[in-house]
Amino acid sequence: MTRLNLFLLAVLIACALSVVTSQFNARKLYGELQKEDQVTRKLDVEWGQLQLEQSTWAMHSRIESEATAKLSMQLPAANRTQVILPQGQVVARPKLSPAD
């Protein structure tokens, strides 16, 4: 009977140690999860700021002003443009005079 009691005590101690180890690992992993959540939130904020910056840089008015100022570009006259439809058909425009 004494051997059985000692064996059961050893099993009980092993189980208790495994529970303590499991709880420690769970707490450690939870802490790492919290840190990764913080990193995720920071990256989400940065992503939003980058999208806002991209939309600012890609505004048509800004692109047009940069093209005019730095590249000396200008919009063509309305009679010198052609509209191409998605099917590949061209909208009929009046023929340009030789002076154009």
Side-chain angles (χ1 to χ4, degrees):
M1 190 70 168
T2 306
R3 285 186 180 178
L4 180 62
N5 286 342
L6 289 176
F7 175 72
L8 291 176
L9 180 64
V11 169
L12 179 66
I13 290 174
C15 288
L17 289 175
S18 68
V19 167
V20 170
T21 303
S22 296
Q23 286 181 339
F24 173 76
N25 288 335
R27 286 185 181 133
K28 184 171 77 169
L29 291 174
Y30 183 74
E32 290 177 20
L33 178 65
Q34 293 300 316
K35 288 178 187 176
E36 294 300 323
D37 281 344
Q38 288 177 351
V39 170
T40 301
R41 282 192 292 275
K42 287 179 184 177
L43 289 174
D44 283 341
V45 168
E46 184 179 356
W47 174 249
Q49 290 172 345
L50 288 173
Q51 285 181 320
L52 179 62
E53 184 178 347
Q54 180 189 21
S55 67
T56 301
W57 284 97
M59 288 176 53
H60 293 291
S61 59
R62 184 187 176 284
I63 292 172
E64 186 176 344
S65 66
E66 290 290 323
T68 303
K70 292 185 178 178
L71 302 174
S72 300
M73 298 177 90
Q74 55 187 341
L75 288 172
N79 62 351
R80 297 193 48 101
T81 60
Q82 284 186 337
V83 177
I84 301 175
L85 299 176
Q87 297 83 15
Q89 301 170 349
V90 178
V91 174
R93 287 281 199 189
K95 294 197 178 211
L96 299 175
S97 64
D100 289 337

